[in-house]
Amino acid sequence: MPLVAEKAASSETGTTHGGVNQDSHVLFEGQLEPFGTVVLAAVFDGHSPGGEFAAQAAAHELVDSFMQACSGQGKLLSQWKLLLSEPDKFIKSLFQHLHSTILDTYAAWPSEYTYVSGSQEHRFVRQDDEQWGQLLHRHDGHVAPLDYGCTASIAVFVKVKHTIQMVAGNCGDSPIAIARCNQPDAEDGLVLNYISRRHTLRLEAERSRVKAHNLNRAIVTEDFYLAVNDPMLKSHQVQVSRSLGHKQLEPYGITWEPDTLVRTLDPEQVFAIVVLSDGVTDSLRRAAILDVLASTTTADEAASQLVKDSHAESVAVVSKSDDCTAVVVCL
């Protein structure tokens, strides 16, 4: 019997970045000793100029490290072996490795790059710099250090006796949710539970952590952006409080450290797990997501419909849409 019944992913480029999709995703299966079949489901949502490079690098490295471990090789082999025995250590070491992988891409950033944000087009030329590593010269004369990253949500599934164990981690605002069935307190027996936190500066706990980290070096603005006092970094304002990458903002509290989530999944009580980019959850309410999961007949249909509905809803409401990605795993 397969570990999961079905799995599928779908992604659609939004209208905000000139045809560039800054999301990447992973949906992969392999044989990892001593666990047997292991399924990976992940979403990486890039942000800032070059954010797509961060998301692509993280997705590629996640699959590569897993494939090497399946072959009994690789520098993360010992960490993958901790999947069930020490899940928190496993997740933290994996996220730290992906963070370091993104930092290694800074030196390979294109020498020339065009970034579209809404109706504005910015052209950049990269210059290597002894102090900052890389500087970006914008077409209007503005100069700032290179800084970009991506959110990350990763779920790993493995069978343990008659249940499925899910070990997951997230940093940023790409949520992980569990769709449950046969729930006596729900009218139709169906419930969708978000199990991950949205790591943004709107969250009081994250805001307090970042403020305590910075003292007088940075502030959180009224609209919940981190604003660094250093004039060289004043243009690098982010709302996410946790993210992979962000070489320049890490000293100001933008951390790669994830939350670790461990759940035992009973197929009699859980019918799907979804990993989503915020392009989906910013457009669709929980009830709409659950309705798609319940009314579609395949994982592929569900993933495609979630992305399609998210894009359409966003365009209808605000005349634009973010990149939308949905990974669906059905038990």
Side-chain angles (χ1 to χ4, degrees):
M1 181 178 294
L3 173 61
V4 299
E6 286 187 288
K7 55 187 184 297
S10 181
S11 188
E12 185 167 328
T13 303
T15 62
T16 55
H17 298 300
V20 174
N21 191 337
Q22 291 198 305
D23 288 357
S24 286
H25 64 271
V26 168
L27 190 56
F28 197 79
E29 181 176 315
Q31 298 294 315
L32 177 64
E33 293 297 332
F35 310 112
T37 302
V38 174
V39 170
L40 307 181
V43 168
F44 303 95
D45 184 354
H47 42 263
S48 303
E52 66 272 20
F53 303 137
Q56 292 163 10
H60 179 271
E61 184 61 22
L62 174 61
V63 172
D64 189 58
S65 73
F66 177 66
M67 290 179 63
Q68 289 188 50
C70 289
S71 300
Q73 303 173 8
K75 51 189 172 184
L76 288 188
L77 176 61
S78 60
Q79 281 82 0
W80 278 100
K81 298 292 186 180
L82 301 176
L83 173 60
L84 293 182
S85 60
E86 297 184 65
D88 187 60
K89 186 174 181 179
F90 160 70
I91 286 292
K92 284 184 168 58
S93 63
L94 179 60
F95 273 65
Q96 185 175 29
H97 176 72
L98 297 179
H99 171 69
S100 298
T101 297
I102 292 171
L103 296 187
D104 289 342
T105 68
Y106 273 55
W109 210 77
S111 58
E112 296 183 3
Y113 177 82
T114 299
Y115 178 69
V116 176
S117 179
S119 61
Q120 295 184 316
E121 180 179 283
H122 302 292
R123 298 183 303 279
F124 295 98
V125 173
R126 191 199 79 213
Q127 174 195 354
D128 292 335
D129 180 80
E130 185 174 343
Q131 177 183 356
W132 295 100
Q134 293 80 30
L135 291 175
L136 292 186
H137 293 258
R138 202 166 64 193
H139 67 276
D140 59 2
H142 179 268
V143 180
L146 176 62
D147 187 79
Y148 61 97
C150 67
T151 65
S153 289
I154 302 171
V156 184
F157 302 88
V158 60
K159 191 164 188 177
V160 179
K161 295 183 179 178
H162 301 296
T163 63
I164 295 173
Q165 194 78 358
M166 180 179 72
V167 176
N170 83 291
C171 69
D173 57 359
S174 297
I176 302 172
I178 297 177
R180 302 182 186 276
C181 55
N182 301 318
Q183 302 300 297
D185 294 335
E187 184 177 344
D188 57 0
L190 304 179
V191 174
L192 184 72
N193 299 125
Y194 289 112
I195 63 170
S196 58
R197 294 192 300 162
R198 290 174 67 96
H199 296 127
T200 76
L201 291 170
R202 293 182 179 275
L203 191 65
E204 184 177 356
E206 288 296 284
R207 199 161 58 246
S208 297
R209 179 185 63 80
V210 170
K211 285 182 177 179
H213 186 91
N214 279 303
L215 298 177
N216 295 320
R217 300 184 306 147
I219 64 168
V220 177
T221 66
E222 291 184 355
D223 51 351
F224 305 107
Y225 282 85
L226 177 70
V228 179
N229 292 335
D230 188 322
M232 286 293 288
L233 298 174
K234 64 181 180 180
S235 62
H236 292 309
Q237 294 193 8
V238 295
Q239 278 192 327
V240 291
S241 54
R242 302 192 187 208
S243 173
L244 305 181
H246 285 301
K247 174 182 177 181
Q248 310 301 345
L249 296 183
E250 185 176 4
Y252 298 91
I254 306 303
T255 180
W256 56 267
E257 291 196 29
D259 287 340
T260 299
L261 311 161
V262 179
R263 299 291 189 275
T264 299
L265 306 176
D266 180 355
E268 296 296 321
Q269 299 289 325
V270 174
F271 71 93
I273 297 88
V274 290
V275 187
L276 308 165
S277 68
D278 67 341
V280 174
T281 52
D282 286 349
S283 300
L284 299 182
R285 294 182 180 273
R286 185 190 311 233
I289 295 172
L290 182 59
D291 183 61
V292 169
L293 294 173
S295 62
T296 49
T297 57
T298 67
D300 183 64
E301 185 182 346
S304 298
Q305 193 67 47
L306 285 171
V307 167
K308 180 181 178 180
D309 288 356
S310 302
H311 179 80
E313 178 69 15
S314 184
V315 169
V317 174
V318 295
S319 301
K320 62 181 180 179
S321 69
D322 195 2
D323 303 325
C324 299
T325 300
V327 178
V328 178
V329 177
C330 295
L331 302 189

